[in-house]
Amino acid sequence: MLLPASAALWFLPFVVPIAIWVAWSDLATMKIPNKAVLALMAVFAVVGLIALDFNTWAWQWTHFVVILVVGFLMTITGVMGAGDAKFAAAAAPFVMREDGFNLIVIFGICCLVGFISHRLARLSPIRKMVPHWESWERTRDFPMGYPLAATLVIYLGFALVY
């Protein structure tokens, strides 16, 4: 991990509530609110100026642009939802380019664990606690905001340790 632990320490208190909001909203409505995406971008814009040196902070915005373009292409081809693409783009500046492989591994594990836990929860008493969640009914769709949010939090958490 090449994200400085000090930067992760600055980002985490702000990112965790937004990640919970994104995961919960996507599970409940199969939508990621634009306000959550904008909030995440605002965290990087403001906290990033404190947590990172200016040159690093400025260059990290290129990650937003690249992932937004890739996400847009994936959305128009039906590979992912627009909210997922926007959230991934907003999260991209938090990730150092050199950590790309690590992020892919974390994301893969989060997708697998997220999918299995969601499907098991749908069959468990948990479903009765939140019966209104749209993700229970959409059997062919999966709320990707859940593993995307977890990926960002876990990535930042690992940066504290490594």
Side-chain angles (χ1 to χ4, degrees):
M1 293 286 173
L2 298 173
L3 179 72
S6 59
L9 194 57
W10 273 104
F11 289 137
L12 270 167
F14 301 97
V15 168
V16 168
I18 296 168
I20 292 168
W21 177 17
V22 165
W24 186 274
S25 178
D26 209 19
L27 287 163
T29 67
M30 296 295 291
K31 291 181 175 35
I32 296 173
N34 286 335
K35 288 180 183 177
V37 172
L38 293 172
L40 189 62
M41 290 178 69
V43 166
F44 186 80
V46 175
V47 178
L49 282 170
I50 299 165
L52 301 168
D53 67 83
F54 182 78
N55 284 339
T56 301
W57 174 84
W59 276 106
Q60 291 301 108
W61 284 105
T62 61
H63 299 187
F64 167 77
V65 174
V66 169
I67 299 303
L68 187 64
V69 170
V70 170
F72 176 75
L73 293 172
M74 292 176 78
T75 298
I76 63 173
T77 58
V79 174
M80 74 181 338
D84 303 325
K86 290 183 284 187
F87 180 77
F94 292 89
V95 179
M96 305 306 276
R97 189 192 78 224
E98 296 83 1
D99 288 336
F101 179 77
N102 295 332
L103 188 78
I104 290 168
V105 171
I106 294 168
F107 179 60
I109 293 167
C110 286
C111 283
L112 184 62
V113 170
F115 183 80
I116 291 169
S117 65
H118 180 263
R119 294 312 196 232
L120 289 174
R122 184 167 50 187
L123 301 172
S124 77
I126 293 171
R127 184 174 181 161
K128 290 185 173 114
M129 295 167 56
V130 282
H132 62 283
W133 278 5
E134 190 173 335
S135 66
W136 299 142
E137 306 305 322
R138 305 238 325 244
T139 57
R140 296 179 58 97
D141 295 328
F142 177 67
M144 285 300 293
Y146 174 36
L148 283 167
T151 298
L152 180 58
V153 170
I154 291 168
Y155 169 77
L156 293 173
F158 277 158
L160 287 176
V161 179
Y162 296 104

